[in-house]
Amino acid sequence: MTGPTLLVWPSTDLDGAGNMALDEAAMVLGRRGTHVLRTYGWSPACTSLGRNQPTAGQLGGRPAAGLRCGIDVVRRPTGGRSVFHGPELTYAFVSPERALGGPRALYHAVHAALSEALRDLGVPLDVADRVSSAELPLDQAECFVAPAPGEITCGGRKLVGSAQWRHRGAVLQHGSILFRNEQARATDTGEGGRGATSLEDLGVSLEAAGIRERFVARLEGAVDGTAARGEVPPEVMDRAADLEVRYRSAEWTWRR
């Protein structure tokens, strides 16, 4: 039985608001039964806040909760804690809500596919079994402070941070694969990322394109479908342009 099509879009580097708007817009296709994978970088570097992460922020757009001045900030549609997006490969995977057994099963299926892809490329991984990150208050922890159960780690340190959002029949899952650990750049304290590792730390040199191709191959097996590559449809681009207004607004960024 052939599953829903897996659409793979070209890798593009946008700013924070542009990336988040395009990822949410892709959920239009997820609601129609299609899986979508997008991988990308951030230009300029950016700190993203989790959807419901408290910041005690100011509507004037001033940094809050120890965020460092001069770094772009955006609030993600997905949950979790703050992440500094610098030297990394980010993925956004969109799926129908009930595909692959539902959101929790989808989370683990995507992690399994990405783990297999990284192991194929020689990255030595383990899987976290500690309940530590989930116990930390949202306003006192960054995503890479400590791994949560099922996350992709090496030597107990997090290599990939992921988060989800379920909305109107579709699921969006985000993840960041660190090429170099620069999480400390996001905050004035310089303490971010103490529970993180990176490909550089592991002595592994990989190109984003190589990771993406292995990830696509493994995802094809996970969704029981065949990847189709193509440009972002005009209707999704139009939807993203509308959503970008919200992601650039101080009311959204500092709403909590």
Side-chain angles (χ1 to χ4, degrees):
M1 179 177 178
T2 301
T5 301
L6 171 62
L7 297 180
V8 180
W9 290 344
S11 185
T12 53
D13 296 353
L14 304 174
D15 66 5
N19 276 327
M20 295 304 94
L22 186 52
D23 291 346
E24 181 177 342
M27 296 177 78
V28 170
L29 301 182
R31 296 182 186 109
R32 298 175 187 169
T34 298
H35 297 290
V36 180
L37 175 67
R38 176 176 174 249
T39 61
Y40 54 89
W42 302 69
S43 181
C46 179
T47 295
S48 71
L49 306 171
R51 181 182 186 88
N52 296 313
Q53 180 178 356
T55 62
Q58 304 290 329
L59 288 184
R62 294 191 294 274
L67 295 176
R68 181 166 292 169
C69 293
I71 294 177
D72 190 23
V73 178
V74 69
R75 186 176 289 274
R76 299 188 305 272
T78 50
R81 299 170 175 85
S82 61
V83 180
F84 175 73
H85 303 284
E88 68 175 59
L89 178 68
T90 304
Y91 77 82
F93 182 71
V94 168
S95 176
E97 181 178 350
R98 299 186 182 278
L100 306 180
R104 186 179 295 273
L106 183 150
Y107 182 88
H108 291 293
V110 173
H111 268 196
L114 182 55
S115 294
E116 291 164 359
L118 291 170
R119 287 193 178 101
D120 288 346
L121 295 166
V123 182
L125 299 178
D126 47 52
V127 177
D129 57 4
R130 296 181 289 164
V131 183
S132 51
S133 179
E135 297 171 350
L136 297 172
L138 281 175
D139 58 348
Q140 296 182 20
E142 295 80 37
C143 175
F144 282 92
V145 165
E151 291 190 311
I152 299 174
T153 64
C154 180
R157 299 175 73 85
K158 187 187 300 191
L159 176 65
V160 182
S162 297
Q164 276 189 351
W165 179 45
R166 177 177 55 183
H167 183 60
R168 295 176 55 191
V171 178
L172 167 64
Q173 182 164 321
H174 276 141
S176 295
I177 307 161
L178 298 185
F179 289 156
R180 185 164 63 250
N181 181 11
E182 295 188 357
Q183 295 303 302
R185 288 184 56 190
T187 62
D188 291 328
T189 63
E191 294 182 353
R194 62 180 179 270
T197 191
S198 67
L199 295 179
E200 180 181 74
D201 294 334
L202 299 174
V204 178
S205 178
L206 295 175
E207 298 292 332
I211 298 174
R212 181 170 58 251
E213 292 310 306
R214 294 304 305 175
F215 190 21
V216 169
R218 289 296 187 170
L219 276 177
E220 284 182 314
V223 304
D224 190 24
T226 301
R229 301 168 192 271
E231 299 296 323
V232 181
E235 66 168 320
V236 175
M237 293 297 292
D238 290 344
R239 176 62 177 152
D242 292 338
L243 290 168
E244 198 170 323
V245 176
R246 168 157 55 89
Y247 283 108
R248 293 195 186 281
S249 70
E251 287 77 12
W252 169 257
T253 303
W254 307 113
R255 69 191 185 99
R256 296 179 65 87

